[in-house]
Each structure stands twice: as structure tokens, then as C-alpha cells.
Amino acid sequence: MRGLFVAVCAASSVLGAVSTFVVPHSPGQDDSPSVVAALAKYSANATILFKSGVSYNIWTPIVFSGLKNVEIVMEGNLTLPSDVPTVQAIVASSSFPGHWFKISGMSAGVTLRGSLDPRTGWINSHGPQWWDAMNQVNRPHLVNFGVTNGVIRNMKIVDSVAWNFAISSSTNVHAYGNYIDIRQRPGGGFPFNTDGFGAGGKNLLIEENIILNGDDCVTVGSGGFNVTFRNSYCYGGHGLSIGSLGKGGSVASVQNVLIENVIMDSELYGARFKSWTGGAGVARNITWRNIVVKNVRFPIYVTQNYWDQGIGPKPNSSSTTSTHIEDFTFENFTGTQRDTPYVEGSCVSDPCWYAVEGATGHESIIFDLYPGTGTNIRAKNVNIRTKTGVRPQVMCDPAAITSDPGFKCWNGDFVQTKSKGSL
Ligand SMILES: *[C@@H]1O[C@H](CO)[C@@H](O)[C@H](O)[C@H]1NC(C)=O
Ligand SMILES: *[C@@H]1O[C@H](CO)[C@@H](O)[C@H](O)[C@H]1NC(C)=O
Ligand SMILES: *[C@@H]1O[C@H](CO)[C@@H](O)[C@H](O)[C@H]1NC(C)=O
Ligand SMILES: *[C@@H]1O[C@H](CO)[C@@H](O)[C@H](O)[C@H]1NC(C)=O
Ligand SMILES: *[C@@H]1O[C@H](CO)[C@@H](O)[C@H](O)[C@H]1NC(C)=O
Ligand SMILES: *[C@@H]1O[C@H](CO)[C@@H](O)[C@H](O)[C@H]1NC(C)=O
């Protein structure tokens, strides 16, 4: 990784002189068209600056494509339309690019950066009115960053309506120092599907981010290769996830993922893997280590039986396979598990979508796998206390996991074993 980022920096310093476009602001009008118009001149060797102290109206989506050696600097506030039907009509139109900001550029550095000044540089999508109305129709995803040799840093995002940073089509990206604040208001609706980073790209280093949201803090989907997520804080969401993989029988591939040094605060899941019944392919060499859970419902959760419970009951499938998993390590987990009865904000059904049949509610580790689909899955140094003080439980089928996973594989008390693995 280090060599890679030295290369990125060197590349941008040898490129030529940079011209700067300062985005103008017209009160009461959409500021996006002037940016779009400027791109004809400013898509190479340029800085596009949203000025500090200005509040820009980004009332229509902006596509930045084919950028080469460009820095997009969001030092001003940027606001999406606050009117829900206006946004929905744009998202529904055939010309919607899929995200409000779509940024692409190959083989030359593209930087997206915000401001270190807490008073300015916020991107606001006015999410609470959508969450409170449970309105999930034509929601705008925020940023798609499909770049080779890119940086995303110091961005500040607030109240998004849907996903935040989709970087799965990127290669060689360093995302750091970003702040995503999508917190449910007391008594307000839940911020559904507000994933922090969608990170199924190649050679991604995502670190020192603070993410408060209502879905995966990070999720590595198929295509993810050499992805590191570390030194971060996640609050209120749905975990450090791989997946979901293998939907509709598709062939998934995820390899070399390291997730380390993360505090998971009041999240539904800690470390999480999800693949669909009947899927194919493999997820290999995935490590979660040095994870602190605080008040987390499911600290370690692996399922090959994922489905979208929000859409209906579990599909009837006679399949007994799923995307294979190999070389999974869970190491150094500490903290507290939320095992008192409660209903997480995303639960809208009875039973809740995350309910696990046969569980006691005190499980620190759940491995829900098919026989012959998992190789070398190990947990080491898991020291999680339950809030109720009862002994942590596990769910694990010894017919599905034949090697020593580091604890007694059964549905019962958590009993650590001396794993013979070389951890
Ligand atoms: C950008 O700068 C590089 C290096 O000076 C130069 O080769 C290239 O032609 C420039 N591109 C544009 C579109 O000006
Ligand atoms: C920018 O947004 C922040 C956070 O919402 C706010 O505190 C600040 O006053 C805004 N600045 C301007 C110039 O509108
Ligand atoms: C993954 O990282 C390794 C080691 O740095 C490198 O050799 C390999 O090319 C990377 N894989 C991809 C797909 O970029
Ligand atoms: C496993 O992934 C890590 C990165 O998380 C990488 O450093 C290591 O080389 C990979 N191991 C193999 C055998 O590919
Ligand atoms: C699955 O099969 C059962 C029993 O045949 C039926 O009651 C249920 O509705 C089916 N579920 C779906 C999602 O098709
Ligand atoms: C696990 O935690 C222990 C104690 O905090 C530490 O010494 C060790 O280096 C950690 N292991 C890894 C793989 O980081």
C-alpha cells in the first residue's frame, strides 16, 4: 500500500500547472449548471473550488467524468434540494446518473476533499424528512467515486438520504479523515440504507473516518481486492460487512480484506459476512482484528443464508450452498454485547428482519454456514461481556465447520479452545 500512495503523490506533482475554477454562487438559483459548463475547460490539471463560507445550491446532479489530475475542493456548504418530490423526480428521470455526484477519472489523480473548518464544508441532503415519512422511493445516492489513483479526504456529510461513498469501481484510493453524520433524531425515523463506504474496489485504504449512520459502516462487495479499513469509529449502523454476495446465483469474488482497529458503538452487527443461498464464488483471506464493540447486538455474525428480509419472507430454496468462505480470522474482539431486549431502529416487522431462529439473544458469535462451504474460519481472543452478565453464547453447526474455529462449535456457551492455528 505504501508504495502505491507514494506513486499517487509523485504522479500529481509531475503533472502540469493547475488552473482553478471558483464555483460561482447565485442566491435562489441552482449552482450546478455552472460547474457542468466549466468542466469543458477544467477536467484536466485543474482545481474546482467550492469556496469556504458560501452555501451552494446543488439542485441538480453533477457528473465529473474523465478527470485527470483534478482536485475537487468542497470547502463551502453544499445543499441538495430540500423538497422531496423535486429530488424524487430527478432520481426517477432516465438521465439521472445514479448518484448526485458522479466522479470518474482513470490513471491520473483525482482528489475530492472537504474542509478542516467545522463551520463550513458540509454536504446536506435533508434526510430526516425522508426517514420520518419512511419514504424510500427514488432516493438519491450521494457520491460515486470511480477513479484510478484517487483521494477522498476531510469530507463532511450530514443527513444523507441513501448511500454515501460508493467507491467500488475505483482502484488505488486513499479515503481518510472523512466525517459522515447521519444520526436518527430522538423519536424520528430510521436512516435506512445510508451505507458509509461501498468498497468493492481494488487497493483501497480507508482510514481515520467517523461514520454515524443507519446501515453498513463499510461494505466490501464482489470485486473487492486488497481492501483495508482501519482506525475508525462507527456508530448506530449495521456493521463492518462483506457482502452481500452471490445474489441470484451470481459468482462473487472478494479477496484480501483487512479491517482493524475499529470501535463499533451501538451498532447492530460488529463483524459481518452475508451471502445469499445458491450463490457461488469465494470470499478469501478476510481479517477483522482489534475491534472494540460497545453495546453491539451481534458482535460476530456470518451467514450464508442472507436475504432481504425487508422485502418478504425467506425465499423457498432447496439450495444447500452459497459463496464459499476461506481463511476468515476474527481476532481481538473486546467490549460489550447488547443482549437486553430491544428493538433496533430498522426493525419494521415481527419478527424483526435480523431475528435469528433458535437464538437465545446472548450469542456473541453466530456462524450460519452450509456444510462444505467454509475452510479455515477462526476466532481468537474474543473477550466480550454481555450487558446482562449472562455467559456469552455461540451458534455454530459442527457439521458445517469441521476445523477448530477457536471455540467449541455448538449452540451453547462460548467456550474458547486452544486453536491449533498459528494465530
Ligand atoms: C496536463 O498536464 C500535463 C503535464 O504538464 C500535460 O502533459 C497535459 O497535456 C495537460 N493536460 C491538459 C488537458 O492540459
Ligand atoms: C454550513 O453548514 C453548517 C452545518 O450545518 C452550519 O453550521 C453553517 O452555519 C453553514 N454555513 C453557511 C455559510 O451556511
Ligand atoms: C494486491 O496487492 C498485492 C500486494 O501489494 C499486489 O501485488 C496485487 O497486484 C494487488 N492486487 C490487485 C488486484 O491490485
Ligand atoms: C491476505 O490479505 C492481506 C491484506 O489484508 C495481505 O497482506 C496478505 O498478503 C494476504 N495473504 C494472501 C495469502 O494473499
Ligand atoms: C414457501 O413455502 C411455504 C410452504 O410451502 C409457503 O407457505 C410459503 O409461502 C413459501 N414462501 C415463499 C416466499 O414462497
Ligand atoms: C491483540 O491484542 C493484544 C493485546 O492488546 C496485542 O498485544 C496484539 O498485538 C493484538 N493482536 C493483533 C493481531 O493485533
Side-chain angles (χ1 to χ4, degrees):
M1 277 293 181
R2 176 166 302 152
L4 165 77
F5 293 114
V6 170
V8 172
C9 299
S12 40
S13 61
V14 296
L15 289 175
V18 163
S19 50
T20 298
F21 175 69
V22 179
V23 179
H25 167 59
S26 311
Q29 287 180 37
D30 182 10
D31 295 322
S32 300
S34 66
V35 181
V36 172
L39 286 171
K41 264 179 72 186
Y42 293 91
S43 53
N45 303 333
T47 296
I48 297 166
L49 173 65
F50 294 85
K51 261 198 321 188
S52 173
V54 175
S55 192
Y56 289 96
N57 300 320
I58 308 301
W59 289 348
T60 46
I62 304 178
V63 177
F64 300 85
S65 64
L67 302 185
K68 278 192 177 157
N69 188 33
V70 170
E71 190 168 36
I72 303 169
V73 184
M74 296 188 172
E75 286 185 342
N77 284 350
L78 277 67
T79 169
L80 272 64
S82 55
D83 180 59
V84 173
T86 299
V87 173
Q88 286 176 314
I90 291 169
V91 172
S93 84
S94 60
S95 59
F96 183 62
H99 291 74
W100 211 260
F101 298 97
K102 187 170 163 69
I103 299 166
S104 64
M106 293 303 153
S107 63
V110 177
T111 294
L112 174 63
R113 77 167 170 85
S115 165
L116 290 168
D117 182 345
R119 290 165 303 179
T120 183
W122 294 89
I123 305 184
N124 191 334
S125 306
H126 311 286
Q129 52 186 339
W130 297 71
W131 318 333
D132 292 352
M134 281 266 293
N135 191 341
Q136 300 182 0
V137 179
N138 291 321
R139 290 175 293 181
H141 296 312
L142 195 63
V143 178
N144 185 301
F145 192 79
V147 159
T148 300
N149 302 331
V151 173
I152 301 174
R153 65 179 173 98
N154 306 129
M155 294 290 291
K156 294 196 295 289
I157 310 287
V158 65
D159 291 343
S160 298
V161 182
W163 307 342
N164 290 285
F165 291 108
I167 58 173
S168 293
S169 51
S170 279
T171 300
N172 304 347
V173 165
H174 191 191
Y176 63 97
N178 301 289
Y179 180 64
I180 297 176
D181 184 356
I182 303 169
R183 259 174 295 180
Q184 184 175 16
R185 306 293 196 270
F190 188 80
F192 283 92
N193 306 114
T194 47
D195 299 50
F197 282 91
K202 295 183 173 43
N203 301 326
L204 309 178
L205 174 59
I206 308 169
E207 60 182 344
E208 289 151 26
N209 298 292
I210 297 174
I211 301 171
L212 310 96
N213 70 341
D215 208 313
D216 296 316
C217 186
V218 60
T219 181
V220 181
S222 187
F225 209 108
N226 295 344
V227 177
T228 296
F229 181 91
R230 66 185 181 192
N231 305 346
S232 291
Y233 173 84
C234 303
Y235 174 91
H238 291 169
L240 302 164
S241 302
I242 308 295
S244 59
L245 304 179
K247 188 176 184 179
S250 62
V251 182
S253 169
V254 173
Q255 212 164 309
N256 301 354
V257 179
L258 173 62
I259 297 176
E260 65 176 349
N261 310 333
V262 184
I263 296 171
M264 299 300 285
D265 189 351
S266 306
E267 295 259 326
L268 183 58
Y269 298 96
R272 181 185 187 198
F273 172 87
K274 40 184 173 170
S275 64
W276 294 69
T277 303
V282 66
R284 177 185 291 139
N285 185 24
I286 320 280
T287 297
W288 291 260
R289 69 182 178 208
N290 302 330
I291 308 293
V292 177
V293 295
K294 289 182 171 177
N295 207 28
V296 166
R297 181 72 186 81
F298 299 103
I300 298 175
Y301 185 90
V302 173
T303 183
Q304 291 180 325
N305 270 304
Y306 182 74
W307 80 97
D308 191 344
Q309 288 102 330
I311 287 172
K314 184 172 179 169
N316 289 326
S317 164
S318 54
S319 174
T320 54
T321 189
S322 191
T323 301
H324 285 218
I325 69 183
E326 290 174 19
D327 306 327
F328 273 35
T329 302
F330 303 89
E331 185 175 8
N332 279 357
F333 278 63
T334 55
T336 55
Q337 180 184 353
R338 183 168 191 174
D339 64 331
T340 48
Y342 86 115
V343 177
E344 200 263 353
S346 67
C347 173
V348 293
S349 56
D350 186 10
C352 293
W353 66 270
Y354 52 78
V356 177
E357 219 177 301
T360 62
H362 307 293
E363 285 77 11
S364 299
I365 304 179
I366 296 179
F367 285 172
D368 170 25
L369 304 178
Y370 290 111
T373 56
T375 312
N376 192 23
I377 306 160
R378 295 178 297 180
K380 193 194 178 193
N381 289 342
V382 174
N383 293 300
I384 293 167
R385 280 171 294 113
T386 59
K387 283 184 91 175
T388 61
V390 309
R391 185 165 187 165
Q393 303 288 298
V394 297
M395 290 182 94
C396 180
D397 176 2
I401 298 189
T402 50
S403 61
D404 178 0
F407 59 92
K408 183 175 177 185
C409 181
W410 67 334
N411 293 347
D413 288 350
F414 173 62
V415 182
Q416 202 134 343
T417 56
K418 291 268 182 293
S419 173
K420 286 178 216 65
S422 57
L423 287 176

